[in-house]
Amino acid sequence: MTLRCFLSGLSRSCLKRLVLCTALTLSLQGCQTLKNVQSQFAGGTYQTFDGKMIDAAQSRITPPVEETLYTTLLDKVKITDGEDEVGFNVSAKYNKEREAALRGLSARDLEMREFQARSVEELSGPGAAALNSYLSGIVDRLLDQWPHDRPEVSIVVIKSDEYDAEISSNNIIRLTTPVLLNADDEDEVAAVVAHELGHALFQHHNADDQAAIDNKSLMALTSYSSAILLDNSQSAATQNAAQALLFGGYGIYKLNDNILHNSWKRYQEDEADLLAVDLLYAAGYDWERAITMLERLTHEEKRETRRKNETVRQIDELNRSLTSPVDITTAFNNGLAELSGELSNLQSSLTADHAPADQRLREVKLYLQREYMRAGIPPAADQASLEKVVWEGPGFSAIKKSVYGERARILAERGEYDEARELALKALDGRDDTDPSARYVLYLARKHEGDIDKATYNLDMARQDSQAGLNIFTLLRDEYVNQEKWDDALDIWQKALIRFPKHITMDTYLPERISILTRAGRLIEAQTEVEFCVQNTASTYLKALCQNAIRPADEQVANIQPDNNPLAE
């Protein structure tokens, strides 16, 4: 009927049908969205099935998205939300896979390309090969227990200071060195690996693809229906109906994308946790090591939270030292900032795509209580195998940098700089090693000793490393400023802009550059930068920051408000 309307022209009755069909689709989608949101708060994932997760897994596996006439047509439609494109292109995905196959590129080849694009560094050398072989044995032992079609999964060890593991869309598990360094035994490593295998076995990446297509379909339907209505009738009722369809579709999309999607991602984490328990049990590992893994993750999350809170506290203290509320407007702004912080915390809890580790821990404990109370005592964990490869065998030669570097970092945080310096030096492979973690510790130690030249040298070495973060660049910039090495400070700030274009915006870059020029006494250059800023931005906030930066420090305004502040002029 709807197709006949399009072929014969859009009559009034056809317009009504179009509105009703689209409204019905939105209603059904909205009801499903609310139902799914409610399910996220109704109880644990373990309550959604009976028996063991591994026995209920078949019905939870998400098949891949297939190329169809519908997806081909949908691929021709481009829907954007701001600068981001909604959905993804199915044809492009399969064309990329076919091209990779024709060129003989393996999953590992594709993974290495992604590593290069993201500046991720894989552990290398003979010791790394021994570690990969050992971990591949754990993967095989766990996969042997999977009763359904077995996917091809491999594993690599990544150089990093963060305790983390993830599985890519290429079915390659990325395990960071701290996972190996912090594990007490092979069974704990197997628990981490089993969790990541859970994502591969359930094919969660396919679910992500399907959700992206559903969102794009919803937005395409409401956008085109609204456009047709607006073009074919000028009546107020039709115009209002078109706007209602458009806003309704966008509202459901944002709810799906910002809250439901992340809630359902947390649901996937639960599935992987519970399947990990079953795989550990079936493979003869200590299945309670799933609890150990989550306890360690809880500890890591708390450590990261403390670090972030300390950073926020230092910023707040700095702000208070610069200005205090002297009138009702400033006081009201501070009140809005505190309220915004509370709302931000609430939003973070809803939009985080991983549930807090302590919540996942409770879920696993309840599942163990239900399914494994009669399983008896778990087998003794295998500590010897892990120590033989990681701590005593060739694997240690590959991860010694991480061993020494992690210990040096902890000692530096405690203020024990002498021992931290010695361990950081052991972590370096010669004078030309730019390892940013070790060099940062050496920077702290040398600065504590009062040797500013060596401290700066270590920061400059660190920033040359592909793994160096923005903090290394900003620290080096500030050291150059303190030493009145103005050209070096400007140069390193320019390099930081090139290296971190997504993190350094014009709001950050230009005012800081102007400030450095002003402190250097190069006022003509500073004024030129201010004029460029004023002439090339529509943001009154950025203009104010640039104009403020050229003033002497004792005249600068400390509480310039962004454009979106309702009290800003």
Side-chain angles (χ1 to χ4, degrees):
M1 183 66 71
T2 304
L3 178 61
R4 188 181 304 164
C5 286
F6 279 104
L7 293 176
S8 60
L10 285 170
S11 64
R12 180 177 295 274
S13 62
C14 286
L15 288 174
K16 289 182 178 179
R17 291 173 193 166
L18 179 62
V19 172
L20 289 174
C21 288
T22 309
L24 179 61
T25 302
L26 284 180
S27 299
L28 293 174
Q29 179 68 33
C31 291
Q32 183 62 38
T33 296
L34 292 175
K35 179 181 177 181
N36 289 334
V37 170
Q38 290 170 354
S39 70
Q40 301 302 325
F41 300 96
T45 303
Y46 78 99
Q47 294 177 317
T48 62
F49 62 95
D50 296 321
K52 290 184 169 60
M53 172 62 84
I54 196 169
D55 297 326
Q58 182 67 32
S59 62
R60 293 171 176 261
I61 298 173
T62 307
V65 174
E66 300 290 345
E67 277 187 290
T68 64
L69 176 60
Y70 175 72
T71 63
T72 301
L73 291 173
L74 195 63
D75 288 339
K76 299 181 183 301
V77 178
K78 184 175 182 179
I79 304 291
T80 59
D81 178 19
E83 296 181 356
D84 300 323
E85 186 170 353
V86 176
F88 81 106
N89 192 299
V90 179
S91 298
K93 175 185 176 182
Y94 280 99
N95 287 338
K96 183 178 178 181
E97 291 180 359
R98 284 189 284 265
E99 179 185 356
L102 288 172
R103 298 178 62 183
L105 297 176
S106 65
R108 180 172 176 78
D109 294 329
L110 297 174
E111 192 81 353
M112 292 305 104
R113 287 186 172 188
E114 185 175 345
F115 282 3
Q116 291 178 350
R118 294 174 53 187
S119 296
V120 175
E121 190 173 357
E122 181 187 2
L123 209 63
S124 58
L131 285 174
N132 285 338
S133 177
Y134 169 66
L135 292 170
S136 295
I138 296 176
V139 170
D140 290 338
R141 180 174 168 182
L142 291 166
L143 281 178
D144 285 343
Q145 314 311 315
W146 180 242
H148 309 295
D149 292 340
R150 172 174 168 167
E152 290 293 328
V153 180
S154 57
I155 189 166
V156 296
V157 182
I158 303 299
K159 290 183 181 180
S160 174
D161 295 328
E162 302 294 330
Y163 182 97
D164 192 25
E166 63 177 351
I167 189 162
S168 70
S169 58
N170 299 314
N171 273 359
I172 295 181
I173 298 174
R174 304 167 180 174
L175 203 69
T176 62
T177 47
V179 173
L180 295 173
L181 297 175
N182 287 281
D184 292 328
D185 43 61
E186 180 178 309
D187 298 56
E188 184 180 340
V189 176
V192 177
V193 172
H195 171 88
E196 300 308 325
L197 282 177
H199 290 301
L201 296 174
F202 282 122
Q203 299 183 37
H204 283 152
H205 57 281
N206 290 338
D208 296 343
D209 292 347
Q210 186 59 59
I213 290 176
D214 291 344
N215 277 339
K216 186 173 182 179
S217 298
L218 176 67
M219 290 289 285
L221 173 64
T222 54
S223 297
Y224 280 92
S225 297
S226 298
I228 291 172
L229 290 174
L230 291 171
D231 288 342
N232 284 273
S233 175
Q234 299 299 318
S235 72
T238 303
Q239 298 284 312
N240 290 337
Q243 292 182 11
L245 288 177
L246 188 61
F247 290 138
Y250 184 72
I252 293 175
Y253 157 69
K254 295 302 288 185
L255 183 61
N256 281 340
D257 192 51
N258 289 346
I259 295 180
L260 177 60
H261 172 75
N262 295 303
S263 299
W264 143 71
K265 292 286 283 185
R266 295 198 295 269
Y267 185 79
Q268 292 180 350
E269 293 300 315
D270 290 343
E271 286 186 328
D273 286 337
L274 302 184
L275 182 59
V277 174
D278 296 341
L279 292 174
L280 290 170
Y281 173 80
Y285 284 116
D286 178 358
W287 56 90
E288 292 186 352
R289 280 297 183 268
I291 292 179
T292 306
M293 171 191 71
L294 291 171
E295 287 175 339
R296 198 176 299 282
L297 190 58
T298 300
H299 173 75
E300 291 294 320
E301 285 184 353
K302 289 179 178 178
R303 185 169 73 88
E304 181 65 14
T305 299
R306 286 196 299 269
R307 187 189 66 79
K308 289 180 179 178
N309 289 342
E310 176 60 20
T311 302
V312 171
R313 184 190 66 78
Q314 292 174 357
I315 293 173
D316 287 343
E317 285 186 357
L318 178 62
N319 288 336
R320 280 194 293 269
S321 69
L322 293 173
T323 184
S324 58
V326 294
D327 54 40
I328 190 169
T329 299
T330 308
F332 185 56
N333 282 341
N334 290 347
L336 285 177
E338 292 181 6
L339 176 60
S340 176
E342 295 296 327
L343 293 175
S344 177
N345 290 336
L346 175 61
Q347 183 186 27
S348 296
S349 67
L350 288 173
T351 59
D353 61 5
H354 280 61
D358 57 349
Q359 290 183 18
R360 292 166 57 191
L361 181 60
R362 286 195 296 271
E363 177 95 0
V364 169
K365 285 182 175 179
L366 289 169
Y367 179 66
L368 284 169
Q369 184 177 0
R370 189 186 78 183
E371 295 298 327
Y372 288 90
M373 281 290 289
R374 297 183 178 86
I377 300 174
D382 184 0
Q383 186 176 6
S385 295
L386 181 69
E387 290 183 349
K388 183 178 179 180
V389 176
V390 175
W391 297 100
E392 301 171 4
F396 183 72
S397 65
I399 64 171
K400 69 168 188 170
K401 291 173 67 70
S402 297
V403 175
Y404 293 137
E406 177 69 7
R407 180 63 179 165
R409 181 191 62 79
I410 293 172
L411 290 171
E413 288 178 353
R414 294 176 183 171
E416 300 176 24
Y417 294 108
D418 291 341
E419 190 176 351
R421 183 187 65 245
E422 295 305 316
L423 287 175
L425 288 170
K426 287 183 179 180
L428 295 177
D429 292 330
R431 298 176 61 86
D432 296 331
D433 192 342
T434 59
D435 180 79
S437 298
R439 290 293 178 182
Y440 174 68
V441 171
L442 289 172
Y443 157 74
L444 294 175
R446 296 304 186 187
K447 189 168 185 179
H448 177 72
E449 296 168 0
D451 193 338
I452 301 302
D453 288 341
K454 286 187 178 180
T456 306
Y457 166 79
N458 280 289
L459 275 183
D460 187 60
M461 289 292 289
R463 67 93 183 165
Q464 299 175 43
D465 195 278
S466 62
Q467 301 295 306
L470 177 58
N471 66 310
I472 296 293
F473 283 78
T474 53
L475 278 172
L476 183 56
R477 178 203 66 198
D478 293 343
E479 287 294 341
Y480 284 141
V481 167
N482 292 335
Q483 298 168 41
E484 299 186 355
K485 295 181 178 179
W486 309 114
D487 288 334
D488 290 334
L490 293 168
D491 179 64
I492 205 65
W493 193 224
Q494 175 72 19
K495 286 183 169 65
L497 175 66
I498 296 171
R499 180 80 168 270
F500 305 99
K502 293 183 178 179
H503 297 87
I504 301 179
T505 63
M506 284 297 105
D507 291 3
T508 306
Y509 177 75
L510 276 178
E512 187 63 39
R513 177 175 172 79
I514 294 168
S515 177
I516 293 172
L517 289 169
T518 302
R519 295 177 66 177
R522 293 153 62 169
L523 298 181
I524 296 177
E525 294 177 68
Q527 185 60 48
T528 301
E529 293 287 351
V530 171
E531 292 172 359
F532 172 83
C533 174
V534 171
Q535 294 171 4
N536 290 277
T537 180
S539 169
T540 56
Y541 173 53
L542 178 54
K543 290 177 182 178
L545 287 177
C546 291
Q547 292 167 340
N548 188 53
I550 201 172
R551 297 173 181 172
D554 57 350
E555 296 180 11
Q556 290 187 3
V557 180
N559 60 342
I560 295 174
Q561 302 297 327
D563 297 341
N564 59 0
N565 190 307
L567 299 177
E569 296 182 359

